[in-house]
Amino acid sequence: MRQRTYGINIRVTAQEKTIIERRAKKCGLTVSEYLRQLAKGREPQESSRLNFGGDADGNHEDMAHPR
């Protein structure tokens, strides 16, 4: 039986959505699990098989300082 029965809907910009989805994917998590971990005060870790220095163009995502 499923334990998670409540949903939370938030509004974000297209850029924020993209950043959240990319970060979740880099950690090997769904967006929901990524956000649950952040809500619990955990910092999800990127998978070791991925590049930690940014994307292929050398860009670093930072929600505090969106481009």
Side-chain angles (χ1 to χ4, degrees), residues 9-55:
N9 295 308
I10 63 169
R11 298 277 182 198
V12 295
T13 65
Q15 183 180 25
E16 290 167 334
K17 181 178 184 281
T18 299
I19 290 168
I20 292 167
E21 289 172 337
R22 274 192 201 143
R23 288 182 177 180
K25 185 176 181 179
K26 285 181 179 181
C27 295
L29 301 171
T30 64
V31 168
S32 293
E33 183 58 29
Y34 178 78
L35 294 175
R36 276 193 293 272
Q37 287 192 20
L38 288 175
K40 293 175 183 177
R42 298 183 185 142
E43 186 65 33
Q45 298 298 308
E46 290 184 8
S47 182
S48 61
R49 62 189 163 90
L50 299 174
N51 178 9
F52 289 93
D55 64 19

Side-chain angles (χ1 to χ4, degrees), residues 15-16 19 22-23 59-67:
Q15 183 180 25
E16 290 167 334
I19 290 168
R22 274 192 201 143
R23 288 182 177 180
N59 297 320
H60 293 70
E61 298 142 3
D62 185 350
M63 292 209 33
H65 305 286
R67 296 180 194 275

